[in-house]
Amino acid sequence: DDAQKCSIDDILPLYFNIWKKLANDEITGVIEISKDIKKIVLEKKNLLSCKKAILDKIESTAVKFATLSDIKAIRVEFSGLSEAIIPQVKNNKDIFVFRCTMALDGKGANWLQKDKEIKNPYFGKAMLKCGEEVGKASKAKEDHSMHNH
């Protein structure tokens, strides 16, 4: 079934690994995880039925992760990865969308979690509980105000 093959469900565990590391102020292993994301995306891009624009956005973020060693820069890219993934999980009732309005120098940023205990990936331990649940992924709509034009 092409819909299943095009699903990003197999990328989510990798996304959640990066989220957990950033919430713990860690970056060890992020490059390896991003390479795994890129590999999965490339496999999906070979399927004609998959939406290339979405996969390109996820892939470009994964490629950028692999070039970064600064946690602040990695957190900026994580917001891009979150923006790409959030609209793709809108049918998943087990994933929650959170927002921290202070992230990215006050621009604000969203992220996904599988539970309601806030663990902010943009500030880590310094402000781990900063943020609010803005809904379940199944109700999330893409917020175009988050895009930098």
Side-chain angles (χ1 to χ4, degrees):
D1 171 51
D2 277 356
Q4 189 56 42
K5 288 179 191 160
C6 292
S7 158
I8 63 153
D9 288 353
D10 46 355
I11 294 173
L12 286 175
L14 301 169
Y15 171 90
F16 287 125
N17 268 348
I18 295 174
W19 158 72
K20 199 178 292 180
K21 286 181 177 297
L22 293 178
N24 287 319
D25 297 325
E26 293 172 21
I27 58 170
T28 310
V30 168
I31 289 173
E32 290 75 14
I33 295 167
S34 66
K35 286 178 182 171
D36 290 342
I37 290 173
K38 184 180 176 197
K39 187 175 156 211
I40 291 169
V41 167
L42 290 175
E43 288 167 9
K44 290 179 185 305
K45 283 174 92 170
N46 288 328
L47 300 169
L48 294 174
S49 57
C50 296
K51 292 180 182 162
K52 297 282 188 287
I54 294 158
L55 294 172
D56 286 345
K57 198 169 177 185
I58 294 170
E59 180 187 15
S60 71
T61 304
V63 168
K64 285 181 198 161
F65 271 128
T67 67
L68 302 172
S69 57
D70 171 60
I71 194 163
K72 190 172 181 184
I74 290 171
R75 285 175 164 145
V76 170
E77 287 310 316
F78 183 74
S79 77
L81 182 62
S82 296
E83 267 189 56
I85 288 178
I86 288 170
Q88 308 315 310
V89 295
K90 59 181 171 282
N91 296 324
N92 193 322
K93 295 168 185 59
D94 301 319
I95 297 178
F96 302 91
V97 182
F98 286 85
R99 180 162 185 79
C100 174
T101 56
M102 294 174 66
L104 309 185
D105 298 323
K107 290 183 198 128
N110 294 349
W111 75 93
L112 295 170
Q113 287 189 201
K114 289 188 281 188
D115 60 44
K116 289 188 169 199
E117 185 189 338
I118 295 177
K119 293 188 179 105
N120 186 319
Y122 300 109
F123 288 104
K125 293 174 184 166
M127 291 173 54
L128 192 61
K129 303 293 180 202
C130 183
E132 63 179 344
E133 182 188 338
V134 292
K136 285 195 169 180
S138 59
K139 292 189 179 80
K141 291 183 176 55
E142 193 165 0
D143 178 359
H144 293 284
S145 67
M146 292 189 309
H147 297 277
N148 297 326
H149 293 288

